[in-house]
């Protein structure tokens, strides 16, 4: 049964307490017919392999290259994103927020870990950490510095605390020097952090000749 | 509730530590907890608001000492216990057990939390509003750090299920939802970083006109 | 700081559990921690405000999981470490080591925290004042639950050492101290118990006129 | 050496981790000449045996029987209490607060554990607990109920949060049926809880004849 294949890095060591505790709970739930182990496997497979920040990167790259799509994304992010096949759990009510030279957007959930799963996958540990949740609304500039991101002093910061069922996707500004790139190449520049607001898109590796870096 | 989950503005948790090339799960049991939580939710005995309330109702010492999926696990255990799903007299199998075949559709469908609200909106874009100074003992999604503070309505999103009712079996009680923006200095006074604004999404009953 | 010590109005800690015929100490080590803390304080390397700040600076998960004297112990360890009192090159014995004979007088004397302040009081009994909405990263004795709220000056106590400065080696910076009374409904809104008022003792710079 | 006589309820069991941790710290501090073990013993002896709520009870009983003292206590609690020999550490700046039929006083320290040591000794565990510290300012009536104290609905509650170096002593109302009692007998009625505000004085065991109970 696949659900028995928990990771055992050391086969000669006893399983750790959490592994045991979860295994016991799952066994009891399976025995009572509450869950189907194969359904658990299917859920895990979805988020481990199918859904992740590549989805969001495709959305952002398309917004950079398709003004009509960008406009749709701004007006009705849920529908625009669903049109690309990214919809469902924890993305039922999407909102895209666009960075500008004057304002940088940052997303947090101070109360739990709300995060747009269909476009970004499951949140990283730091996003769920008390450090991030407590500080993002109070001292985002200090937080961004810990990600190596120093915004110009004149750039305002807008923090979106996801306190309801709206889920936020940050659309960063398209980097300079990407004029000749297509959506596929652009998507490779869009990191998860850029779509949360704790980072910026990567600078393209090869700057076209004649364009100052 | 003013529980351990309400972290906005709290101090002492140290730096944020991004992890390079972070895996989706850090242990097999984390993946199982995610799967168990979603599959158990499909049984229909509780909703997302009740789940969140189960997590924030953990004793603060436990909440703060637990990793994220450990919090999920403890809340799942508590919900199962409260609903008696493992009692000897519970029917086997559960009539709403999620099958593997149904997983893709369930994930793709999600849950629509929007609900029609007949009454006109009490607030309009641009209105100044105060987040009410409430301290309910039960679930709420109005964080403590905005309560009593004045912001501006930026958007009205139509009706949504009210978590304060929904978490406690008091129905959906839908209300209009607003995005309310607060100036950093309004929230944090002289200790605010310059150029900061913070928004929350707030149900109509969380707000009062200024 | 908005640290784990700032508990007023927090929820989730369960009932208060009075213990019948409670002993002064529940273990021998608790008594030793009390004695060590007081004796180490007599060495003069830190003051009571720095001690409190060391306690509230423990990581919240540690603070909440620790018993009271465990918090004291961890803070004492941190202060000793920071001051380097156990370093090999520290003089032995410490020139200000407290002798057993000096204990009764030291306890009986205590520490006078009052200091003269030349400037006249900014506020008078009966004045309405607002507790300022400050969120300092360092030590403060203005709890979060009163910040931004309006109360009334009930008493003026003369000048006292300001903890916000004293905890951080910035001198005594004495200011006048006031007892400020808040109506329960002002602090807790519609969720306040009827007939409640709460006071804090607040330094002058914690307050602004209304 | 007296400081080695930590409590060992089971002499055959290994010491618990906290005992060991404290013992190691003390040994290191003694070795560096930072503390004198005999001074530690003297401090412990003071608070374990000499200073406790009997001091405060004597103050309250005197206030009940000596109107001039009660007046002094109200005007200058530090001096009035010091005149009875109770002074010093954590009682340098005292304030006495008097219960009335209209208002009941309750003392807490939400930020740590401030408590008037010279008159009450060291605080009990519940006073230092997060449960008490968090709730006393928000829902004191619920807290009092957990102490078995139900105040009349019309009685206001005044909570004193000890946020500075003022230390509060609650002077409860003198119980009915105590008219013939002297200060010594009255002091025996005054509990620690009554002087914090989580209790009331004990009712005298023998009500004098003719006085309705």
């Amino acid at each position: 049964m696949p659900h028995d294949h928990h990771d055992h890095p050391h086969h000669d060591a006893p399983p750790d307490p959490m592994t045991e505790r979860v295994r016991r709970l799952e066994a009891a739930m399976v025995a009572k017919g509450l869950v189907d182990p194969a359904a658990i496997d299917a859920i895990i497979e979805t988020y481990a392999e199918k859904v992740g920040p590549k989805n969001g990167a495709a959305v952002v790259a398309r917004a950079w290259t398709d003004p009509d799509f960008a406009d749709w994304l701004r007006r009705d992010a849920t529908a625009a994103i669903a049109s690309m096949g990214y919809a469902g759990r924890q993305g039922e009510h999407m909102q895209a927020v666009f960075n500008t030279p004057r304002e940088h957007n940052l997303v947090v959930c101070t109360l739990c870990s709300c995060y747009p799963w269909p476009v970004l996958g499951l949140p990283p540990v730091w996003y769920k950490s008390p450090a991030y949740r407590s500080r993002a609304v109070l001292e985002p500039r200090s937080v961004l510095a810990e990600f190596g991101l120093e915004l110009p002093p004149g750039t305002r910061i807008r923090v979106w605390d996801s306190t309801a069922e709206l889920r936020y996707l940050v659309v960063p500004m398209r980097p300079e020097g990407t004029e000749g790139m297509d959506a596929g190449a652009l998507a490779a520049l869009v990191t998860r952090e850029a779509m949360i607001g704790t980072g910026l898109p990567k600078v393209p590796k090869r700057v076209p000749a004649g364009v100052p870096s | 509730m003013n529980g351990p989950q309400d972290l906005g503005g709290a101090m002492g948790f140290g730096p944020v530590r991004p992890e390079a090339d972070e895996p989706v799960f850090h242990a097999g049991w984390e993946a199982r907890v995610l799967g168990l939580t979603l599959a158990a939710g499909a049984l229909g005995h509780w909703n997302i608001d009740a789940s969140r309330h189960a997590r924030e109702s953990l004793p603060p010492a436990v909440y703060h000492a637990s990793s994220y999926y450990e919090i999920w696990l403890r809340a799942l255990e508590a919900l199962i216990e409260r609903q008696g799903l493992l009692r000897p007299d519970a029917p086997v199998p559960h009539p709403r057990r999620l099958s593997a075949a149904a997983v893709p559709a369930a994930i793709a469908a999600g849950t629509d939390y929007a609900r029609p609200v007949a009454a006109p909106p009490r607030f309009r874009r641009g209105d100044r509003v105060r987040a009410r100074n409430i301290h309910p003992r039960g679930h709420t999604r109005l964080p403590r750090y905005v309560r009593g503070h004045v912001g501006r309505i930026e958007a009205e999103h139509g009706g949504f299920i009210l978590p304060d009712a929904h978490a406690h079996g008091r129905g959906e009680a839908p209300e209009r939802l607003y995005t309310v923006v607060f100036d950093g200095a309004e929230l944090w006074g002289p200790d605010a970083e310059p150029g900061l604004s913070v928004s929350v999404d707030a149900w109509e009953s969380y707000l009062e006109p200024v």
Side-chain angles (χ1 to χ4, degrees), chain A, chain B:
Chain A
M1 291 189 292
H3 66 291
D4 279 335
H5 293 272
H6 297 181
D7 62 342
H8 291 292
H10 304 290
H11 282 273
D12 51 347
D16 67 284
M18 287 306 295
T19 298
E20 266 308 290
R21 185 169 175 168
V22 174
R23 191 198 302 276
R24 278 199 309 272
L25 178 66
E26 178 168 348
M29 293 174 75
V30 170
K32 290 297 281 183
L34 297 171
V35 298
D36 174 357
I40 311 298
D41 295 337
I43 293 168
I44 294 169
E45 190 191 355
T46 302
Y47 292 106
E49 292 166 27
K50 295 178 185 168
V51 178
K54 282 197 163 57
N55 295 0
V59 172
V60 169
R62 183 157 169 208
W64 284 346
T65 53
D66 178 345
D68 288 341
F69 181 81
D71 186 55
W72 190 15
L73 189 63
R74 202 181 291 272
R75 284 183 291 103
D76 186 349
T78 310
I81 292 169
S83 79
M84 295 178 69
Y86 314 134
R89 189 180 181 94
Q90 287 301 306
E92 297 91 345
H93 307 282
M94 288 296 305
Q95 185 148 347
V97 295
F98 290 71
N99 287 348
T100 70
R102 298 185 54 191
E103 189 163 85
H104 179 86
N105 294 286
L106 179 69
V107 180
V108 65
C109 172
T110 62
L111 298 175
C112 49
S113 59
C114 296
Y115 192 76
W117 290 12
V119 283
L120 295 187
L122 298 176
V125 167
W126 64 257
Y127 183 85
K128 302 178 287 188
S129 71
Y132 183 72
R133 290 164 54 194
S134 58
R135 294 173 53 212
V137 292
L138 172 66
E139 45 182 24
R141 234 169 249 276
S142 301
V143 170
L144 294 185
E146 287 162 16
F147 283 85
L149 177 54
E150 302 266 0
L151 296 173
T155 303
R156 291 185 52 85
I157 297 183
R158 163 66 179 272
V159 180
W160 302 78
D161 189 359
S162 313
T163 55
E165 298 305 333
L166 303 184
R167 296 290 169 269
Y168 293 95
L169 177 71
V170 174
V171 181
M173 289 184 287
R174 180 172 172 165
E176 291 182 27
T178 60
E179 289 73 9
M181 296 172 70
D182 65 13
L186 287 168
L189 304 178
V190 182
T191 62
R192 176 176 65 191
E193 280 66 25
M195 294 181 281
I196 301 172
T198 53
L200 296 179
K202 287 184 269 191
V203 173
K205 279 183 185 144
R206 292 192 221 158
V207 178
V211 177
S213 63
Chain B
M1 65 180 290
N2 298 346
Q5 87 291 355
D6 192 1
L7 287 170
M11 298 175 188
F13 292 99
V16 180
R17 301 188 185 280
E19 179 184 350
D21 301 319
E22 181 174 344
V24 175
F25 300 105
H26 289 74
W29 68 263
E30 293 189 343
R32 302 314 289 179
V33 168
L34 174 84
L36 289 172
T37 299
L38 269 55
L43 300 175
H45 292 276
W46 55 80
N47 55 53
I48 194 169
D49 299 304
S51 276
R52 290 190 182 126
H53 188 55
R55 290 171 198 148
E56 69 201 23
S57 295
L58 292 172
V62 171
Y63 188 95
H64 286 299
S66 299
S67 70
Y68 201 78
Y69 283 114
E70 192 175 338
I71 291 171
W72 276 39
L73 172 64
R74 290 175 182 276
L76 177 61
E77 290 170 342
L79 290 164
I80 287 172
E81 169 70 21
R82 194 180 312 156
Q83 296 294 329
L85 298 185
L86 293 176
R87 277 202 307 241
D89 58 340
V92 177
H94 193 287
R96 291 185 59 180
R97 178 172 64 173
L98 183 70
S99 71
V103 164
I107 287 178
T111 306
D112 186 353
Y113 299 98
R115 294 291 181 276
V117 169
R122 185 174 186 194
F123 306 110
R124 303 280 174 182
R125 180 180 164 86
D127 282 358
R128 292 177 75 234
V129 291
R130 185 184 302 274
R132 292 176 66 218
N133 182 30
I134 55 172
H135 295 269
R137 272 49 170 185
H139 186 63
T140 188
R141 295 289 290 183
L142 184 67
R144 230 178 140 181
Y145 75 90
V146 301
R147 296 183 198 159
H149 291 289
V150 172
R152 188 175 38 75
I153 300 279
E154 186 176 79
E156 189 265 308
H157 302 286
F160 275 81
I161 295 171
L162 179 69
D164 309 50
H166 203 223
H168 297 287
R170 297 200 305 267
E172 299 190 335
E175 291 184 6
R176 287 182 192 275
L177 183 73
Y178 302 87
T179 297
V180 184
V181 195
F182 301 86
D183 190 65
E186 165 70 17
L187 295 178
W188 309 116
D191 298 299
E193 287 184 350
L196 168 66
S197 59
V198 180
S199 66
V200 300
D201 296 323
W203 279 262
E204 197 164 271
S205 63
Y206 293 178
L207 304 171
E208 58 195 14
V210 175

